[in-house]
Amino acid sequence: MTVLDRDELPEEPAARRGVPQSRQLHALLARGRAVLEDLFPGTNERLIASGALEMDLQSDLHWYLDGRLLRPEPSGLIGLAVSRPVVEAVIRSQVADMAEVTIMDGCDVTGLTSSSDRGRISGVRIRTRADGRNSSVLDADLVVDAAGRGAHTSAWLQELGYQPAPEESVRIELAYLSRFYRREAHHLGGRIGTAIAPYPGQNRSGFVNAQEGDRFMVTLSSCGGGELPTRDAAMAEYADSLVAPDVAEIIRTATPLTEPVLMRYPASVRRRYELLDRFPEGYLVIADALCSFNPIYGQGMTVAALEARLLQRLLQEDHDDLSRRFFTAVSELLDTPWSLIMSGDLRFPFVEGERSEGLLAMGEYLDRYRAAATHDATLATALIRVMNMVDEPARLMAPDLEARVRDAARAVPASDV
Ligand SMILES: Cc1cc2nc3c(=O)[nH]c(=O)nc-3n(C[C@H](O)[C@H](O)[C@H](O)COP(=O)(O)OP(=O)(O)OC[C@H]3O[C@@H](n4cnc5c(N)ncnc54)[C@H](O)[C@@H]3O)c2cc1C
């Protein structure tokens, strides 16, 4: 098995060009942590040895949803506060330790090669620094395209006479601005972090999360095309407009360690290969190249790990008819995280998309649910479990939770719900 990457891969954890989001805030959901451990036993231990911090996702991280603090109590759901370069470095070292794997870095994939009838992908065209302008061919029984959001899959398939996959997108027009600060014991009362999510009427959001090396990463964000400030005073002012003071506290009182880095994320995109009539054998598309999610939900690495585990299982079962089997199964896997994005982002009036009556009714229920979860720790934990992809969203509509939402609406003044 050969892993190809166009970047020169660093020995130590470091942000890199091929992964522009590596300079932005990342955290690992509880489910992602469990699945990575399953795929690569020992991952958790290695991440923690590299400085990752375990965090209870309800008490160590404060969540502000719809402008209200979700009741912070221990949930038993443990995620990891860790920078993206450390996650990559740990996984990469585990992959590199596998005897059957060769990693070729500094190697740009420029296209696909196929059988003469074009029914099967037979390898990739590659170009390394040493090749200059020439490219060579690497033969393969199976090519897995994990080239991220910028993958050239559609163009490569069209060159071979295939239709591009039907595409769904949810345009959120997000901007992210992240910066490291020195973390000291007194900051946030010693807590790991705070997530202040945007909601209709408030397109601004802010996040602060501890990272390895006694650092915080602070992220200011806007959706709907808003601009972000990059100077200290303006950043603090922006953070002041958020509902909780935590982000502004770090910007004002902690020492900045890096310059702020801006990144734009226009839309979540899902490519539906399972709907195509024709698709070549010997080729799969996975992770962000297949479906990329609004990063505010923090699902990307977890979904990528779930897809990898699905592929592992399918390959263990049988190698025949793999592309159809994979795209059908992965589509089912993606339905849940995609529905979370749809129902969350379509709350914003500027996001285009069909709002069915079912979706609106669900949205109205979830508004009341989130309000109730500011007082009711059980509701808050159930919500955090869904946000962490541990439970299905349908759990939030279960009779026991619905009753609690109803009771809370009676107990809490109407203005609060
Ligand atoms: C701002 C932001 C914040 C995020 N925060 C979180 C978070 O908190 N938690 C979370 O779970 N997820 C988060 N995500 C999502 C997460 O980063 C992605 O879902 C995840 O990295 C997807 O992995 P991937 O392998 O598909 O793509 P990538 O990680 O983007 O990797 C693609 C790789 O392909 C290589 N490559 C590309 N083209 C070629 C080529 N032609 N030839 C050779 N190599 C090539 C690149 O060099 C790169 O190494 C965030 C995303 C963004 C944008």
Side-chain angles (χ1 to χ4, degrees), residues 5-6 16 21 25-27 84 108-109 147 287-288 295 298 300-301:
D5 205 294
R6 61 155 64 121
R16 58 192 175 86
Q21 73 269 29
L25 182 63
H26 274 65
R84 164 65 189 231
D108 204 346
V109 178
D288 275 18
M301 296 189 295

Side-chain angles (χ1 to χ4, degrees), residues 4-7 9 16 18-19 21 24-29 84 88 107-110 146-149 152 156 176 263 265 286-289 293 295 298-302 304:
L4 307 172
D5 205 294
R6 61 155 64 121
D7 276 353
L9 298 172
R16 58 192 175 86
V19 185
Q21 73 269 29
Q24 302 293 336
L25 182 63
H26 274 65
L28 197 52
L29 301 183
R84 164 65 189 231
E88 265 185 35
C107 176
D108 204 346
V109 178
T110 58
R149 274 179 71 77
H152 296 296
W156 291 348
Y176 248 53
M263 182 171 178
Y265 182 95
I286 200 166
D288 275 18
F293 300 93
Q299 299 167 320
M301 296 189 295
T302 297

Side-chain angles (χ1 to χ4, degrees), residues 52-69:
L53 297 147
E54 291 186 298
M55 57 175 166
D56 185 295
L57 289 152
Q58 191 178 342
S59 54
D60 294 327
L61 187 66
H62 280 185
W63 281 97
Y64 289 83
L65 302 180
D66 298 350
R68 303 184 194 92
L69 176 61

Side-chain angles (χ1 to χ4, degrees), residues 270-291:
R270 179 175 182 182
R271 301 193 173 95
R272 310 212 55 152
Y273 291 97
E274 77 280 9
L275 300 179
L276 288 175
D277 290 336
R278 286 176 66 239
F279 193 84
E281 272 306 319
Y283 185 48
L284 300 176
V285 189
I286 200 166
D288 275 18
L290 175 65
C291 185

Side-chain angles (χ1 to χ4, degrees), residues 19 59 104 119 156 198 215 240 244 251 266 279 323 368 380 382-383:
V19 185
S59 54
M104 277 176 72
W156 291 348
R215 296 177 302 168
D240 282 339
I251 294 174
F279 193 84
S323 50
R368 285 187 286 119
L383 182 57

